[in-house]
Amino acid sequence: MSDWWRYPALVFPLDAMWRAYENARKAPGQMMIFYIQAASMLDRVFDKDRGIVASLDCKQNLTRKGEPLPCERPNRAWREPILETLSAPPQAARKTRKPPSHQQGGETMAQTDPEDGFDQIMVQSWNSVAQQLRTLHNELSGDRARRRERAERAVQNERYEQTRRQQQSIRLEQWEMDNRERLDKGFDSTLNATVLADGDGWRKMRDSSLLQGWMVADQLEGNDPDYRRQIIEAKARLKDEWSKRHPETHIDAAADQLTNHVNITYTDQSPALQATLNAFNTAGVPVDLQRVEDAQAFQAAHGDDATFFVDSRLTGQWTVCFVKLE
């Protein structure tokens, strides 16, 4: 409609949308409401089958997609005819006016009384806006409820995991307390037979064995007061031998790296492999995981039932873990 300004039924809704946009763009928080209102209003105004333009006696102007819409520039006095058309009729005319009839050429409300037509459009538009806002409110409420449920489940899961870890820690500490004396005696015997043995034979130990001896001494330190002198002597020997072999590193750092890293190679995923990974993860031990593509060669080297191998780097050799295949 290039001459939209000639039709009162179009002037007022377009003017209302323009004013609403000007107000909304100054308050960005209102733009969403404006878009909802404008979408409904534009459909009710310009729909070629049921909009206001469908009820007007005017020439249709069709444009291709992307072409600018045609528009005739209104003259300076274009508002006066609109106001005269919409001005209040005399009292007598109001009393004698008859309601529109469906038999009178199919005239619409907007044609017989533009003011009533505009009011009708506004009521319908606001009803549509209210319905869309109710739908939006229900969707947002549902989203909030779902997020709240997910957050509550996450909290419950975290509490369960914390409780489980605490229980495992308590069981481990209890087991250590129950077996501390036996463990200490075993560690004492290990140091006495290796690092603290007479002669220099212990100096022929591999690097991994030196690190194991250091970790055994660390384990005993603070837990076996009666063995304190031997622990100090053992650590001094180990530190001296390590510094001769590796002057660029300290035995403390090397032992930490040894105990806090494992390598795992596997052929297929299995519950046993997952349980092993979970155990290392709980203990805070980093794991390098590598899949072996040639399962036959892997099993030929390590056994028909082997599915994964763990290299703890503590013993200097691969530790084989088997899972029986049904």
Side-chain angles (χ1 to χ4, degrees), residues 41-52:
M41 180 71 79
L42 288 171
D43 182 62
R44 295 181 183 279
V45 172
F46 291 107
D47 187 277
K48 64 182 182 65
D49 297 319
R50 54 188 178 83
I52 295 176

Side-chain angles (χ1 to χ4, degrees), residues 3-74:
D3 56 345
W4 57 268
W5 43 271
R6 299 181 188 275
Y7 302 92
L10 291 179
V11 170
F12 278 87
L14 294 178
D15 180 76
M17 282 190 286
W18 168 65
R19 295 180 187 277
Y21 169 77
E22 290 297 323
N23 288 329
R25 73 182 180 87
K26 298 175 183 178
Q30 299 296 318
M31 287 302 295
M32 182 177 180
I33 296 177
F34 168 76
Y35 285 136
I36 296 174
Q37 295 172 341
S40 176
M41 180 71 79
L42 288 171
D43 182 62
R44 295 181 183 279
V45 172
F46 291 107
D47 187 277
K48 64 182 182 65
D49 297 319
R50 54 188 178 83
I52 295 176
V53 295
S55 65
L56 301 177
D57 184 14
C58 60
K59 180 182 178 181
Q60 285 190 350
N61 292 313
L62 301 179
T63 58
R64 294 186 178 88
K65 184 177 181 180
E67 292 182 352
L69 298 177
C71 181
E72 295 182 16
R73 187 180 184 86

